[in-house]
Amino acid sequence: MPALFVLAQVVLAAARRGAAAADPPGRVPAVIVFGDSTADTGNNNFIQTMARGNHPPYGRDFAGGVATGRFSNGRLPADFVSEALGLPRSVPAYLDPGHTIHHLATGVSFASAGAGLDNMTAQIPSAMTLSEQIDHFRRYRARLRRAKGQAAAHHIMSHALYIFSIGASDFLQNYLVFPARGYRYTLPEYEVYLVGVAEAALRAVHGLGARAFRVVGLPPLGCLPLERAMNLPRPTGECNEVYNVVARSFNSRLRGLVAKLNWELPGVRLAYVDQYGLMSAMIAKPWEYGFENSVQGCCGTGYVETGVLCSLDSALTCDNADKYVFFDAVHPSERAYKIIAGVILNATSTRRFP
Ligand SMILES: *[C@@H]1O[C@H](CO)[C@@H](O)[C@H](O)[C@H]1NC(C)=O
Ligand SMILES: *[C@@H]1O[C@H](CO)[C@@H](O)[C@H](O)[C@H]1NC(C)=O
């Protein structure tokens, strides 16, 4: 029966080719990121904005000591997540023209420092809004299909890990600072509005093929060094509890959204990441995590410097950022970010299969 034998050979060979073309089961082919300065790996270098971290001392512990635009002394959580999944050590920025679609196929960040869920937040520093980030994601998807073919692109989109790290700027840069939003919404109304925007964004990205999400909650906003420094009329360096209450309240709504979408969206696996709990613990007991200072940033005086104010000129900037939870007055150090990445990786979906 030589014909049948030949047929069997053909089928076997095809099966082998199929197996070789696909990733091993469970392997994540890409890390795809949306968000603010906690996730922007360099997009803001390519737009006209004030929110830039592409100057020293940012990046001084990055490979080659390069200030890539990341608001830290080294890598961000998404970079560590990518490396831990066997993907590149750093996640490229979508707007960086140095990256081809082939580089971007194993991970990409659409995040923009200064962006929020609210469009108005990004407009303050002229950052990319979340809806612009999702527009770029649509273009990325189309480019990936052209470059890799429908099937391979679909595999990447549906097996990638999607990280959302956004929302702090809506409060710190917008609502709690400028009265414009306060006239229109009470705080609880604003939280509901923002969670509604997050819902629409997650649904849109799911609709484009995403399945596995990590939704990072807000950190304890009132314990960021800048907020401690501005905590008047009690300038004792205490955490601003009003801001922490806002963060906890928003986070509990966000957690509710994650549970709801896990129920409603077909095939989705969303995990909420308790960044608040972890960072509170690092701030309260820094020594347990190997830090010496959780009150000031490493950069400058450590209380006010971020962005342009955090520059090389400062003789006060610390020598070893690994001893600090914060690198500047708002953003964690690389070592703190590495710990946060562990929690992002470990976060599990709350999806319950009926
Ligand atoms: C943000 O702006 C875009 C473009 O103008 C618009 O399509 C989108 O609906 C806006 N999103 C929100 C939440 O207002
Ligand atoms: C992640 O989970 C592993 C295994 O359960 C555990 O050993 C590790 O400490 C966890 N990491 C973090 C940062 O929670």
Side-chain angles (χ1 to χ4, degrees), residues 339 342-343 346:
I339 298 170
V343 175
N346 273 12

Side-chain angles (χ1 to χ4, degrees), residues 119 131 193 197:
N119 278 341
S131 60
Y193 169 71
V197 178

Side-chain angles (χ1 to χ4, degrees), residues 330-346:
V330 174
H331 303 98
S333 64
E334 177 182 56
R335 212 166 73 71
Y337 270 150
K338 188 173 183 180
I339 298 170
I340 294 168
V343 175
I344 295 176
L345 277 160
N346 273 12

Side-chain angles (χ1 to χ4, degrees), residues 117-119 123 129 131-132 135 181 193 197:
L117 292 158
D118 183 351
N119 278 341
Q123 282 153 17
T129 64
S131 60
E132 287 166 337
D135 288 344
R181 277 310 192 205
Y193 169 71
V197 178

Side-chain angles (χ1 to χ4, degrees), residues 157-181:
M157 304 293 292
S158 60
H159 288 74
L161 185 68
Y162 292 79
I163 301 174
F164 276 75
S165 182
I166 192 161
S169 308
D170 292 306
F171 296 102
L172 297 180
Q173 186 178 292
N174 190 350
Y175 192 94
L176 299 169
V177 181
F178 294 106
R181 277 310 192 205

Side-chain angles (χ1 to χ4, degrees), residues 33-43 70 76-78 91 108-113 163-166 337:
V33 190
F34 297 88
D36 57 19
S37 54
T38 59
D40 181 352
T41 58
N43 286 309
R70 288 170 175 80
L76 303 182
V91 176
V108 56
S109 171
F110 299 97
S112 174
I163 301 174
F164 276 75
S165 182
I166 192 161
Y337 270 150

Side-chain angles (χ1 to χ4, degrees), residues 40-41 45 52-76 79 89 298-299 307 310-312 317 321 327-328 331-334 337:
D40 181 352
T41 58
N45 300 346
R52 291 263 175 94
N54 60 350
H55 52 82
Y58 291 119
R60 70 181 197 185
D61 298 310
F62 196 85
V66 191
T68 56
R70 288 170 175 80
F71 278 76
S72 190
N73 54 307
R75 289 186 285 161
L76 303 182
D79 298 315
R89 290 185 82 249
C298 163
C299 189
C310 173
S311 73
L312 193 58
T317 295
F327 184 64
D328 69 14
H331 303 98
S333 64
E334 177 182 56
Y337 270 150

